[in-house]
Amino acid sequence: MPKPIPDYSLYVITGESFSKGRSTEDVIRQAILGGATVIQLREKEYCGKELIRVGKLLRDMTREMGVTFIVNDRVDVAFAVDADGVHLGQDDLPIEVARQILGPDKIVGISAGNMDEVLAAQARGADYVGLGPVFATGTKSDAGEAVGLDLVKQVCARATIPVVGIGGIKANNAAQVIEAGAAGVSVITAVVSADDVTEAARQLRHQIDLAKGLKG
Amino acid sequence: MPKPIPDYSLYVITGESFSKGRSTEDVIRQAILGGATVIQLREKEYCGKELIRVGKLLRDMTREMGVTFIVNDRVDVAFAVDADGVHLGQDDLPIEVARQILGPDKIVGISAGNMDEVLAAQARGADYVGLGPVFATGTKSDAGEAVGLDLVKQVCARATIPVVGIGGIKANNAAQVIEAGAAGVSVITAVVSADDVTEAARQLRHQIDLAKGLKG
Ligand code: NI
């Protein structure tokens, strides 16, 4: 049985430092209530113990609420908390190591910034790519220049795995990313920095759902 | 067949920022030539890709030169480069996760700062403990107060697994740590910051060997 493809529509990445003092647990619960379909734990400053603690909380919550849970970068942490998968940057561990540790049934996603990286990730067995930054963004200092919607279109036309757009995506431009062919959009601040996290997720999800309907 | 116990006599930890601009590869080769018996890759600032790159270099070198190779903290990196084991701090992943990922034949070491942590690590199946800081040290900002030689003696009398002393150990006090019962001493700056790395390792190893001879 091939492994099921998750619903990548609204892929929310944690960011404690952008969460205005609210706990990641609370913010993520609100995001899921608003329609997030994938949660990624990404806290570069956490030590292993802290990642395990928050990872277990999010694992339990996402399982109960029926959404996909991904851990950034740390394959060992993804294994430890039984996440649904891991997300790897171009500077992280090779995908083959993630597969060996996590097994064939877990999701391995890769960040890509151009067509070559997308095709390489796909050839090496990635389950999805996070493509970006689609728009200019201030969140990830190492994110590079915006790739733009044209590249999203080109990649989505060629890639056989789901493409998730990331970088500078908000409720007012999410539809464009979906219309370009993306399976979903990935956000940090547009959700976790919102005063009303649930409402912010709901508005994004609404635009995504509308765009998906229009696409068909 | 029980797994062989490595020679922990002179356990050298990498520290690029203390290596005076010399490459970790060069410094560690010199340290092994001087008598290091265990090498630990510990670079908190490295991303996964960099850890893999340096880890592979050190894995090849240590294998050729016949010394043990341990990776700090990152169980996934230890797995990826086929290190002999992993060293975990009290704030890192739980030992059980390391065992599951690495299997029973790899070494899992734990940092401990008191008798309780030593006994807990031993009960959970650690292969060795790194006990310290034995003496005051400026290297690890989070290392806490010196535990002193008395605790080393008490721990070594009670523990059934090898105890490696760490923290502020130099050629002029290494013998005391071995005489207190430690299987070895662990150092960073005493070796990697030395002008002549090989000579610094040789002097330490000489004191350790002498103390081990006297102990018998
Ligand atoms: Ni990384």
Side-chain angles (χ1 to χ4, degrees):
Chain A
M1 198 177 75
K3 85 190 136 180
I5 296 176
D7 178 357
Y8 288 107
S9 294
L10 181 52
Y11 185 130
V12 175
I13 302 174
T14 70
E16 198 192 70
S17 55
F18 306 113
S19 297
K20 302 184 168 174
R22 299 167 297 195
S23 79
T24 294
E25 194 188 354
D26 285 347
V27 166
I28 293 304
R29 182 178 288 112
Q30 296 303 313
I32 297 172
L33 290 172
T37 59
V38 181
I39 301 299
Q40 181 191 120
L41 172 60
R42 179 178 184 278
E43 297 291 347
K44 295 278 184 190
E45 304 307 314
Y46 282 15
C47 64
K49 194 180 189 175
E50 224 166 352
L51 285 171
I52 298 279
R53 187 185 66 76
V54 177
K56 281 183 174 165
L57 284 174
L58 296 183
R59 169 68 292 185
D60 289 346
M61 185 192 302
T62 50
R63 195 163 265 155
E64 270 170 36
M65 297 174 86
V67 307
T68 299
F69 179 53
I70 303 284
V71 169
N72 185 63
D73 179 21
R74 293 284 303 248
V75 180
D76 44 7
V77 173
F79 178 92
V81 304
D82 191 29
D84 296 310
V86 70
H87 185 89
L88 302 172
Q90 293 285 327
D91 282 344
D92 292 338
L93 264 55
I95 180 169
E96 293 77 9
V97 170
R99 280 276 174 247
Q100 279 183 279
I101 293 177
L102 299 178
D105 293 338
K106 296 294 189 180
I107 298 161
V108 181
I110 309 281
S111 295
N114 55 55
M115 181 71 82
D116 284 350
E117 288 176 357
V118 170
L119 298 179
Q122 183 172 296
R124 293 171 76 182
D127 292 295
Y128 75 90
V129 289
L131 177 66
V134 177
F135 305 112
T137 167
T139 308
K140 294 179 78 176
S141 54
D142 56 347
E145 267 188 60
V147 302
L149 286 168
D150 279 348
L151 183 69
V152 178
K153 270 178 215 163
Q154 289 161 33
V155 162
C156 292
R158 226 170 132 183
T160 56
I161 54 176
V163 175
V164 179
I166 182 166
I169 302 175
K170 297 173 171 42
N172 66 6
N173 60 16
Q176 299 173 292
V177 183
I178 300 298
E179 283 158 10
V185 302
S186 188
V187 296
I188 307 178
T189 52
V191 167
V192 309
S193 300
D195 288 331
D196 186 335
V197 169
T198 302
E199 185 54 27
R202 190 174 288 138
Q203 285 180 22
L204 268 160
R205 180 65 190 274
H206 182 65
Q207 297 303 321
I208 293 161
D209 287 352
L210 277 179
K212 287 202 171 187
L214 290 175
K215 263 178 71 190
Chain B
M1 198 177 76
K3 86 190 135 180
I5 296 176
D7 178 358
Y8 289 107
S9 293
L10 180 52
Y11 184 131
V12 175
I13 301 174
T14 70
E16 198 192 68
S17 56
F18 306 112
S19 297
K20 301 184 168 174
R22 299 167 296 195
S23 78
T24 295
E25 195 188 354
D26 286 346
V27 166
I28 294 302
R29 183 178 289 111
Q30 297 302 315
I32 298 172
L33 290 172
T37 59
V38 180
I39 300 300
Q40 181 192 120
L41 173 59
R42 179 178 184 277
E43 298 291 347
K44 295 275 185 191
E45 303 308 314
Y46 282 14
C47 66
K49 193 181 191 176
E50 223 167 353
L51 286 170
I52 297 280
R53 187 184 66 76
V54 178
K56 281 182 174 165
L57 285 175
L58 295 183
R59 168 68 293 185
D60 289 345
M61 185 192 303
T62 51
R63 196 163 264 155
E64 270 170 36
M65 297 175 86
V67 308
T68 299
F69 180 52
I70 303 284
V71 169
N72 186 63
D73 178 23
R74 292 285 303 247
V75 180
D76 44 8
V77 173
F79 178 91
V81 303
D82 192 30
D84 296 310
V86 69
H87 185 89
L88 302 172
Q90 293 284 328
D91 282 343
D92 293 335
L93 265 55
I95 181 167
E96 293 77 10
V97 170
R99 279 277 175 247
Q100 279 183 278
I101 293 177
L102 299 178
D105 293 338
K106 296 293 190 181
I107 298 160
V108 181
I110 308 281
S111 295
N114 56 53
M115 181 71 82
D116 284 351
E117 288 176 357
V118 170
L119 297 179
Q122 181 172 297
R124 293 171 76 181
D127 292 295
Y128 75 91
V129 290
L131 178 65
V134 177
F135 305 112
T137 168
T139 308
K140 294 181 76 176
S141 55
D142 57 346
E145 267 188 62
V147 302
L149 286 167
D150 278 349
L151 183 69
V152 178
K153 271 178 212 162
Q154 289 161 33
V155 162
C156 293
R158 227 170 131 182
T160 56
I161 56 176
V163 175
V164 179
I166 183 167
I169 301 175
K170 296 172 172 44
N172 66 5
N173 59 18
Q176 299 173 293
V177 183
I178 300 298
E179 283 158 11
V185 303
S186 187
V187 296
I188 307 179
T189 53
V191 166
V192 310
S193 300
D195 288 329
D196 187 334
V197 169
T198 303
E199 186 53 28
R202 190 175 288 138
Q203 285 180 21
L204 267 160
R205 180 66 189 275
H206 182 65
Q207 297 303 321
I208 294 161
D209 287 351
L210 277 179
K212 287 201 171 188
L214 289 174
K215 263 178 72 191

